[in-house]
Structures are given as structure tokens and as C-alpha cells.
């Protein structure tokens, strides 16, 4: 398949809404069920399109096949960004008189939204706006912190209706770095359950540790060091981690003891505490703990599951 035909396939598939993707592909009936099962439809759309184009190339797709797909696409209701903007703005302005909304188109089929909130009696505060980044044809939006948290349900409603999704996914995930949030949410970040093929020996792999680190905290046993490196790589991979600044755990537990009596044993209310890990680059810091001799491997799943679960706020209760 030449580059011109591959590009035509790429553009045709790219305009298919994610909510209609499987329906369109099955109607097209060019790719087998087994081939479709090899595609990770939870990753970012551009990556999905690339995988599908490769499958088309593998099946030696022709111009007629591409034309057939294009005809099917014309029969579906394609996402209209301008309609999204108009609908989103109308919903907010109907519900709240004093609000200003501005848009700026961005890359990867996304739009930046600037919202200056007011109240029924106060004009919008242009000095403290909220920002939203919405990626078309997905149930995900990234929002900045806002002082008027009472407006969050209205914001969610406007996004849901304007995007034509049944709901906008709420995730307990926060960071200052949009690219890292995108990598986690759209599964652009691979974790331990995926296989990493590399011809580089364990001794040659660098985990980003300072070679001048105090040697007293490094395991001297070569076999143990290699085991630590291997397990660390299996968990975190050998690529840069998404950048998060903290992980927060709210714990609720009841006191348990084999001894009878005692103030804590008689307490009906659970014991509550908050544990927070913070670092300029938390996941890279966690990745370096075991190789530095500060922690054993493997680390607790509560620490290593952050990207896979897509959250850095956790609530832990007794079962």
C-alpha cells in the first residue's frame, strides 16, 4: 500500500467518532474479528488509527476498500467542533447569566476552553478564570482548579450534553502537567502487564541513578542488584514516567487486638489518617527507591498502580 492510500485511510478512520468506531469497522467487514481484538481501543485515537492502518496494509487494502469505508463514514453523524462550542456556551449562559466562555482550537482534535465564572449578582471574575481542555469524541476533559466548586456539576452537564456522551468520566487524578495526564488517561503509558523486548543487558541499562551516589546504600551483591533492576524494570519499564507531584491515601481502619478491653478496642468509630507522598517527580522517585537500596522490591501495589488505575487519590477502608 503506497503512502497516498495509507494517508487516505488514516484521514478516513480519524474522522470516525470513537463511539461509532467498532460499529463502522464491523459494517465495513474488511478487518477480521481477531484482528480487531489486537487493537487497544483505550489508547489515544491517533495511536488507534495507526494500528488500524497497519492492519489495512497487512490485508493489502485497495482504493476500492478505502472508498467503501468512506461511504460508510458518510452515513454516520460526525462530530462537529463548532456545534460543540455553540452548545456548550449556550448551556452555561442559560443556567448562569454572568459567565463568559472563550475557545481556542488546539492539536489532536482538542479545544481549550476559558471560563470566567460569575454569579447571579456578580459579573464574571476575569482575573481568576477556569480552564478546560476537551478532546473531541472522548468522554474525557481536563480542568484546572476553580474557586467556584459549586459550578462543577454545571460544567459536567455542559460537557456531557455538548459532547453527546452519556457521561464525562470523573477521575481522582491531578497534576500540573497536561501531557502526563493525557498519557495516563489515554493509555499512552505502558506498565508492567505489557512485554518489553530489548537486547540490552541488565548491566547496560540505566535507571537514571547518579553514579556518584553513596555506595554504602547500594547492594554490593551483584546477583541481588540484578534482581532489583529486573523487578524494577518489570514494574516501571525502561522509559520516562508520567509526571505527577503527589499521591494521597485516606485510610479508615478499626483497631484490632487479641487482647480484650482497652480504649481503642471499644472505639466504634474507625481510625482515620491521611498519608501523602510528594515529590517534584513522584513516579520517577518511586522507581529509584529499590535500586538505591531504600526499599525492597516489589513496592506496594498501592504505589505502583497509579498510572494503571489512572488516579493519585485513594480511599482505603477495611473490608
Amino acid at each position: 500500500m503506497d503512502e497516498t492510500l495509507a494517508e487516505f485511510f488514516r484521514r478516513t478512520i480519524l474522522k470516525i467518532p470513537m463511539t461509532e468506531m467498532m460499529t463502522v469497522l464491523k459494517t465495513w467487514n474488511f478487518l477480521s474479528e481477531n484482528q480487531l481484538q489486537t487493537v487497544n481501543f483505550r489508547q489515544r485515537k491517533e495511536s488507534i488509527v495507526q494500528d488500524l492502518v497497519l492492519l489495512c496494509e497487512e490485508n493489502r487494502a485497495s482504493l476500492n476498500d478505502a472508498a467503501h469505508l468512506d461511504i460508510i463514514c458518510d452515513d454516520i453523524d460526525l462530530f462537529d467542533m463548532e456545534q460543540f462550542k455553540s452548545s456548550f456556551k449556550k448551556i452555561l449562559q442559560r443556567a448562569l447569566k454572568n459567565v463568559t466562555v472563550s475557545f481556542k482550537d488546539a492539536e489532536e482534535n482538542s479545544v481549550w476552553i476559558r471560563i470566567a465564572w460569575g454569579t447571579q449578582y456578580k459579573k464574571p471574575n476575569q482575573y481568576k478564570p477556569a480552564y478546560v481542555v476537551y478532546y473531541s469524541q472522548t468522554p474525557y476533559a481536563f480542568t484546572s482548579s476553580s474557586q467556584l466548586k459549586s459550578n462543577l456539576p454545571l460544567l459536567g452537564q455542559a460537557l456531557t450534553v455538548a459532547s453527546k456522551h452519556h457521561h464525562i468520566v470523573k477521575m481522582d487524578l491531578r497534576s500540573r502537567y497536561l501531557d502526563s495526564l493525557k498519557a495516563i488517561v489515554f493509555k499512552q503509558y505502558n506498565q508492567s502487564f505489557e512485554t518489553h523486548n530489548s537486547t540490552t543487558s541488565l548491566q547496560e541499562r540505566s535507571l537514571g541513578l547518579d553514579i556518584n551516589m553513596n555506595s554504602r546504600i547500594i547492594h554490593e551483591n551483584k546477583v541481588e542488584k540484578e534482581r532489583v533492576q529486573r523487578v524494577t524494570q518489570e514494574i516501571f519499564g525502561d522509559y520516562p514516567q508520567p509526571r505527577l507531584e503527589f499521591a494521597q491515601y485516606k485510610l479508615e481502619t478499626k483497631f484490632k487486638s487479641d487482647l480484650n478491653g482497652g480504649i481503642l478496642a471499644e472505639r466504634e468509630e474507625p481510625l482515620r489518617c491521611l498519608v501523602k507522598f510528594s515529590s517534584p517527580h513522584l513516579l520517577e522517585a518511586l522507581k529509584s527507591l529499590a535500586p538505591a537500596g531504600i526499599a525492597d522490591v516489589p513496592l506496594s501495589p498501592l504505589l505502583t498502580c497509579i498510572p494503571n488505575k489512572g488516579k493519585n487519590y485513594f480511599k482505603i477502608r477495611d473490608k
Side-chain angles (χ1 to χ4, degrees):
M1 186 164 61
D2 60 30
E3 293 184 3
T4 302
L5 184 56
E7 179 62 18
F8 183 74
F9 269 111
R10 192 189 74 81
R11 294 190 180 189
T12 303
I13 299 172
L14 192 61
K15 68 181 181 180
I16 304 173
M18 285 303 302
T19 53
E20 303 289 342
M21 183 69 75
M22 287 301 296
T23 301
V24 171
L25 293 175
K26 288 182 178 180
T27 303
W28 186 35
N29 198 31
F30 181 75
L31 301 175
S32 69
E33 187 70 29
N34 289 338
Q35 286 178 312
L36 292 177
Q37 289 178 359
T38 65
V39 180
N40 178 11
F41 286 95
R42 297 181 63 187
Q43 61 185 326
R44 192 170 58 173
K45 191 174 184 181
E46 285 75 8
S47 300
I48 296 173
V49 172
Q50 183 179 356
D51 291 344
L52 291 172
V53 171
L54 290 175
L55 290 176
C56 292
E57 187 172 4
E58 180 182 307
N59 286 10
R60 298 184 178 180
S62 66
L63 182 59
N64 287 335
D65 297 316
H68 184 204
L69 177 61
D70 191 43
I71 291 172
I72 296 173
C73 291
D74 286 338
D75 292 335
I76 63 176
D77 183 18
L78 298 179
F79 183 84
D80 187 333
M81 182 61 81
E82 295 306 315
Q83 183 179 356
F84 167 83
K85 295 177 185 176
S86 175
S87 176
F88 180 85
K89 191 172 184 176
K90 286 179 180 178
I91 292 170
L92 291 188
Q93 291 180 336
R94 286 173 182 170
L96 192 63
K97 180 176 67 174
N98 291 318
V99 61
T100 58
V101 185
S102 305
F103 302 93
K104 182 180 180 181
D105 292 331
E107 59 184 6
E108 300 178 330
N109 297 322
S110 64
V111 59
W112 280 76
I113 309 171
R114 180 185 184 275
I115 307 172
W117 297 105
T119 67
Q120 297 296 346
Y121 309 103
K122 293 183 180 179
K123 292 184 177 181
N125 186 344
Q126 301 295 342
Y127 294 100
K128 295 183 178 180
Y131 293 93
V132 180
V133 183
Y134 174 68
Y135 286 81
S136 66
Q137 304 173 20
T138 75
Y140 298 105
F142 303 91
T143 65
S144 66
S145 59
S146 174
Q147 289 187 329
L148 294 176
K149 297 187 183 299
S150 59
N151 289 330
L152 289 179
L154 175 59
L155 174 60
Q157 179 185 2
L159 287 168
T160 302
V161 174
S163 66
K164 299 181 180 179
H165 274 278
H166 296 298
H167 71 288
I168 295 295
V169 178
K170 182 180 179 181
M171 304 179 71
D172 294 320
L173 181 66
R174 291 165 178 78
S175 174
R176 298 180 184 178
Y177 302 94
L178 179 60
D179 287 342
S180 292
L181 292 174
K182 285 162 44 186
I184 293 174
V185 170
F186 294 125
K187 302 300 180 183
Q188 297 167 314
Y189 167 77
N190 299 314
Q191 238 192 329
S192 58
F193 53 86
E194 301 199 33
T195 302
H196 308 283
N197 297 319
S198 175
T199 57
T200 308
S201 66
L202 286 173
Q203 293 90 336
E204 294 173 337
R205 293 191 184 113
S206 172
L207 292 174
L209 297 177
D210 186 346
I211 60 174
N212 295 320
M213 184 179 290
N214 190 332
S215 61
R216 288 177 299 177
I217 63 172
I218 304 280
H219 291 289
E220 294 296 330
N221 185 282
K222 183 179 179 180
V223 175
E224 176 63 13
K225 287 168 65 177
E226 290 184 357
R227 185 187 75 85
V228 170
Q229 284 189 337
R230 184 182 67 255
V231 175
T232 299
Q233 183 184 328
E234 289 173 354
I235 295 173
F236 291 98
D238 54 1
Y239 33 75
Q241 305 297 300
R243 190 163 186 175
L244 303 175
E245 303 85 28
F246 67 91
Q248 181 172 298
Y249 301 82
K250 288 185 177 180
L251 310 179
E252 289 189 7
T253 184
K254 289 192 175 182
F255 181 78
K256 298 180 178 65
S257 175
D258 295 333
L259 301 176
N260 294 325
I263 298 176
L264 293 178
E266 296 173 356
R267 179 186 172 97
E268 294 184 1
E269 285 292 316
L271 300 172
R272 296 182 177 89
C273 67
L274 177 68
V275 179
K276 185 173 182 179
F277 297 87
S278 60
S279 168
H281 203 326
L282 178 65
L283 294 179
E284 285 290 349
L286 293 175
K287 181 179 177 179
S288 69
L289 289 178
I294 300 174
D296 294 329
V297 290
L299 295 178
S300 168
L302 288 172
L303 296 174
T304 59
C305 74
I306 293 172
N308 189 33
K309 287 188 176 293
K311 59 192 298 185
N312 56 352
Y313 279 77
F314 295 86
K315 292 182 180 179
I316 305 170
R317 296 183 175 92
D318 285 337
K319 293 182 180 180

